[in-house]
Amino acid sequence: MGATGDPFTVPLNDFVAGLNINMISPYAAMSEAITGFKDLPKETLKTFIYTGNVCLHLVMPVALNLALGKRGVGHMIENAVTLYEKEGYK
């Protein structure tokens, strides 16, 4: 949150740093998980778990960057499940 209490006054570098933590890191983890899932036996459960997705529709300016990350990662998971559902990914 910016010094004024307005999330849109956060310096761009700080906003990008938050996205790196909240979006880029989970993307890297998902990519590694998908690669690892492919090496597992077919009968092994392959499940994506991402916690803290409560209140995705609650507007909280103080948590703008975090909420963007949560929604973005949720979207990534939905895409991965759709793309790999035939392989049993959940």
Side-chain angles (χ1 to χ4, degrees), residues 2 4 6-7 14 16 24 26 34 38 61 63 78-79 83 85 88:
T4 65
D6 181 343
D14 293 345
V16 170
I24 306 304
I34 290 167
K38 291 177 182 178
E78 289 175 14
N79 276 271
L83 184 61
E85 68 184 334

Side-chain angles (χ1 to χ4, degrees), residues 36-73:
F37 285 175
K38 291 177 182 178
D39 293 334
L40 293 173
K42 188 173 186 172
E43 64 276 0
T44 302
L45 295 176
K46 300 158 186 90
T47 306
F48 299 104
I49 299 173
Y50 187 66
T51 62
N53 289 327
V54 204
C55 302
L56 287 178
H57 303 288
L58 180 64
V59 176
M60 293 177 53
V62 70
L64 177 66
N65 196 297
L66 181 60
L68 290 172
K70 295 293 184 184
R71 282 188 180 221
V73 173

